[in-house]
């Protein structure tokens, strides 16, 4: 690769000499902006917050290093080969550097410009293409996920999973398939057919009419979270509208650089909400909400959708944002517990929503909300990252678990299903884990989900201690 040494005190500027088409190794369809590249002054404030730099200490796997690679790419001084692509592939897109940067470098816009370029101009290996194709043929489709959920439960209940783990045969699988097997969430088969009502009336006086994004993985594997979200919104005076025609929002595709797919899904979702007269569109998934707020940028070149997309994005709020804005009216009942709160990257960094989840959780009497060390470091979930890059994702997952353990919580809350699955995979015992809205829902309904979950996890241990000799 081209020599990448440079004066650390110099601002990164792109050589104005046009090379080829004027964009170097990139095409002219929204390459990374010279102006945004030039904002980086190499101060290094991003380095301690970057997960890949924290793991490897490699400059080219840091935000400022990747920005320098963008500069070299724009100047045509580096080949768009596997090595170049890998440095960007290894970026989790957590946007912690955006939060940390004192110069306001918009790394989010830069990396989101680079990923589609790489997908257009560098052909991945056959196995990589097949694996990624499998992911995107499954995850954005709730009906297919439901079939996968049934097969997953059969795999568990048949004893095949236990047999593979006891025999060690599971370790013979490729690492990516091991990650799929380990991250596969449990499914409650009786709830797979659960659908969010098209309209849920407000309890009492209607304070707001809101649209609700039901998600893909969320509606299949985390239907309880959707139900809790609707109940809490209704209890707080919101009429909730969930268009039954809505499909995938395109977040996974957009984060992976699959631009045409992401734009098509964005258009379809805008159409699904077109006839819904709502003031706010609510998301309870950090990654989805982040992308919904970017529809205006994503569809800026589409004359039919540009204005509609910008109007759509302007209405989007995370559920915690809306609840903090409205303020509580439904009575809360105590939940006496110490709760660790984990900032999902696409909520805290990408959307800048940090105080609101804590604010709404602290409306629950008796609940002690505590932060965890290295809160800015990603847990390693990052969309499909923990599936396509399982080794660094595991290191980050275990690091996150150690930090959660250090605060000795009774439970954990985070606003992203991927984070919940990632942390659960590496947790050494039974820790109750919740979306914040589930705790609000429980408090409003007068139940203590943390105590109930703790009792359920203790029951098998109690039965084991009282079992007859020889019964194991």
């Amino acid at each position: 690769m081209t020599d990448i040494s440079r004066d650390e005190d110099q601002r990164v500027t792109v050589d104005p000499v046009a090379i080829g088409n004027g964009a170097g190794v990139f095409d002219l369809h929204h390459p990374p902006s010279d102006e945004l590249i030039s904002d980086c002054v190499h101060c290094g404030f991003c380095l301690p917050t970057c997960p890949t730099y924290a793991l490897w200490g490699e400059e080219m796997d840091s935000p400022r290093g990747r920005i320098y690679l963008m500069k070299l790419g724009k100047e045509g001084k580096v080949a768009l080969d596997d090595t170049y692509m890998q440095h960007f592939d290894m970026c989790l897109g957590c946007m912690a550097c955006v939060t940390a940067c004192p110069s306001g470098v918009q790394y989010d816009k830069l990396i989101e410009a680079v990923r589609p370029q790489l997908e257009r101009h560098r052909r991945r290996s056959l196995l990589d293409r097949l694996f990624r194709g499998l992911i995107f043929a499954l995850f954005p489709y709730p009906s297919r996920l439901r079939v996968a959920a049934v097969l997953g439960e059969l795999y568990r209940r048949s004893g095949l999973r236990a047999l593979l783990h006891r025999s060690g045969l599971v370790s013979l699988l490729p690492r990516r398939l091991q990650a799929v097997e380990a991250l596969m969430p449990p499914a409650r088969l009786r709830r797979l057919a659960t659908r969010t009502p098209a309209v849920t009336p407000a309890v009492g006086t209607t304070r707001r009419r809101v649209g609700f994004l039901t998600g893909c993985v969320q509606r299949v594997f985390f239907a309880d979270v959707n139900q809790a979200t609707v109940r809490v919104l209704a209890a707080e005076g919101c009429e909730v509208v969930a268009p039954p025609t809505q499909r995938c929002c395109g977040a996974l595709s957009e984060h992976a650089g699959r631009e045409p797919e992401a734009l098509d899904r964005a258009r379809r979702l805008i159409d699904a909400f077109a006839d819904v007269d709502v003031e706010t569109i609510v998301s309870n998934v950090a990654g989805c909400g982040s992308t919904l707020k970017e529809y205006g940028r994503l569809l800026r070149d589409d004359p039919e959708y540009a204005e509609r997309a910008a109007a759509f994005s302007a209405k989007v709020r995370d559920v915690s944002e809306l609840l903090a804005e409205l303020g509580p009216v439904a009575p809360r009942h105590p939940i006496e517990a110490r709760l660790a709160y984990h900032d999902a990257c696409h909520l805290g960094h990408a959307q800048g929503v940090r105080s609101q989840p804590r604010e709404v959780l602290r409306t629950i009497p008796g609940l002690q909300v505590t932060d965890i060390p290295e809160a800015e470091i990603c847990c390693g979930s990052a969309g499909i990252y923990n599936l396509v890059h399982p080794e660094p994702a595991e290191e980050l997952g275990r690091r996150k678990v150690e930090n959660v353990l250090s605060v000795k919580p009774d439970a954990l809350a985070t606003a992203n299903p991927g984070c919940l699955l990632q942390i659960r995979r590496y947790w050494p015992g039974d820790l109750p884990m919740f979306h914040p809205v589930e705790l609000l829902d429980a408090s409003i309904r007068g139940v203590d989900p943390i105590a109930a979950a703790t009792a359920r996890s203790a029951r098998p241990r109690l039965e084991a201690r009282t079992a007859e000799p020889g019964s194991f």
Side-chain angles (χ1 to χ4, degrees), residues 218-461:
Q218 191 81 342
R219 79 173 79 173
V220 176
F221 292 104
F222 296 90
D224 288 352
V225 176
N226 279 356
Q227 292 174 341
T229 302
V230 171
R231 284 195 297 264
V232 169
L233 289 172
E236 296 293 6
C238 294
E239 180 184 6
V240 184
V241 182
T245 58
Q246 61 178 294
R247 298 291 181 264
C248 176
C249 68
L252 282 182
S253 301
E254 197 269 333
H255 297 156
R258 298 166 70 98
E259 186 177 51
E261 193 174 81
L263 298 187
D264 182 61
R265 288 176 174 150
R267 294 183 188 101
R268 289 170 183 259
L269 191 68
I270 291 170
D271 288 341
F273 279 84
D275 297 326
V276 177
D277 182 19
V278 295
E279 301 168 69
T280 305
I281 297 171
V282 176
S283 172
N284 61 7
V285 179
C288 297
S290 173
T291 297
L292 296 180
K293 290 180 178 180
E294 291 293 315
Y295 275 7
R297 176 185 63 81
L298 294 175
L299 292 169
R300 62 193 181 278
D301 295 329
D302 189 323
E304 181 181 351
Y305 281 88
E307 187 174 338
R308 295 170 62 193
F312 183 98
S313 291
K315 292 182 178 182
V316 175
R317 298 289 184 276
D318 181 73
V319 63
S320 66
E321 285 185 284
L322 177 61
L323 292 173
E325 177 188 336
L326 290 175
V329 293
R332 268 66 163 163
H333 298 84
I335 298 177
E336 301 290 344
R338 178 178 175 84
L339 179 74
Y341 179 73
H342 163 64
D343 286 285
C345 293
H346 275 88
L347 189 61
H349 297 310
Q351 298 184 56
V353 178
R354 298 181 191 84
S355 62
Q356 295 93 327
R358 293 167 172 83
E359 180 182 337
V360 296
L361 283 169
R362 289 185 175 121
T363 65
I364 301 174
L367 189 65
Q368 179 188 352
V369 181
T370 183
D371 294 331
I372 61 177
E374 291 189 337
E376 71 281 359
I377 297 290
C378 182
C379 69
S381 174
I384 65 169
Y385 191 92
N386 54 359
L387 299 178
V388 296
H389 301 297
E391 292 89 351
E394 177 173 348
E395 290 187 68
L396 292 168
R398 294 190 183 281
R399 181 172 181 154
K400 182 63 67 175
V401 164
E402 289 176 6
N403 283 314
V404 176
L405 280 168
S406 71
V407 301
K408 298 179 173 58
D410 300 310
L412 173 76
T414 189
N416 204 56
C419 299
L420 285 170
L421 294 175
Q422 173 77 346
I423 295 172
R424 182 180 293 155
R425 177 183 179 184
Y426 301 110
W427 192 259
D430 296 311
L431 179 74
M433 299 184 187
F434 303 94
H435 190 291
V437 79
E438 291 182 286
L439 295 171
L440 288 171
D441 176 54
S443 175
I444 291 170
R445 292 190 294 123
V447 298
D448 188 337
I450 297 176
T454 302
R456 283 196 302 271
S457 65
R459 195 175 302 129
R461 294 194 293 271

Side-chain angles (χ1 to χ4, degrees), residues 130-166:
L130 289 174
F131 186 73
R132 289 170 183 263
L134 175 64
I135 290 173
F136 287 99
L138 176 62
F139 283 82
Y141 301 95
S143 58
R144 299 176 191 178
L145 283 174
R146 290 187 178 97
V147 174
V150 171
L151 295 176
E153 281 305 294
L154 291 175
Y155 168 64
R156 282 192 180 88
R157 297 183 185 189
S158 67
L160 180 58
R161 184 176 191 272
L163 175 63
L164 289 177
H165 281 265
R166 281 199 307 267

